[in-house]
Amino acid sequence: RKQRCSAGEEKRPKKKAKKETKKAGKKNKEEEEEDEPLIKGEEAEMLGKIKKHVKEICDGADMDTLTLRNVREQLKEKYEIDTDKYKDKIKKIVDEVISAE
């Protein structure tokens, strides 16, 4: 059904928003990620080492000048790893260490 505007133009009725439906038995992406192990073997071991070293870095650093880039560079030198792979996790670890102090 069409309506007319004051200028004589036809106006279409607004469409109703579609409701999102979940099919029983299917999981969304977030639920699937929750079912997977958080960290696997070697990565978990490396993150444990990283966390320990980040604590050491933060304990001996001037917090006014310490940056995430500095932390990643020190970790890269010590463990000879590509810190870009762990960038988000390193940020989270640094945030945890700083908030614990």
Side-chain angles (χ1 to χ4, degrees):
R1 185 168 119 188
K2 296 181 182 177
Q3 299 173 347
R4 296 202 176 255
C5 294
S6 59
E9 298 175 7
E10 290 184 3
K11 198 177 195 182
R12 293 184 181 164
K14 293 182 181 177
K15 292 182 180 181
K16 294 181 182 178
K18 292 182 181 179
K19 293 181 181 179
E20 289 186 29
T21 58
K22 283 188 179 179
K23 293 182 181 180
K26 285 198 170 188
K27 296 180 180 183
N28 64 25
K29 188 175 180 179
E30 289 177 5
E31 290 173 336
E32 288 175 4
E33 289 174 357
E34 289 175 4
D35 291 344
E36 294 178 9
L38 295 177
I39 303 169
K40 298 171 187 146
E42 292 178 15
E43 186 176 354
E45 184 179 332
M46 180 54 69
L47 287 173
K49 291 178 183 179
I50 287 172
K51 188 169 187 172
K52 182 179 176 185
H53 194 68
V54 166
K55 286 179 184 178
E56 293 171 7
I57 292 170
C58 290
D59 287 342
D62 177 13
M63 295 308 237
D64 293 328
T65 59
L66 184 67
T67 64
L68 286 170
R69 176 184 262 172
N70 298 131
V71 172
R72 286 193 311 271
E73 286 174 359
Q74 290 182 44
L75 291 169
K76 187 175 186 173
E77 288 175 19
K78 180 165 178 119
Y79 297 110
E80 298 177 359
I81 58 170
D82 178 18
T83 55
D84 290 339
K85 178 180 176 182
Y86 300 103
K87 192 173 185 177
D88 293 334
K89 292 174 182 166
I90 291 170
K91 182 181 185 319
K92 185 178 177 183
I93 291 169
V94 169
D95 289 342
E96 289 172 3
V97 169
I98 290 173
S99 64
E101 290 182 355

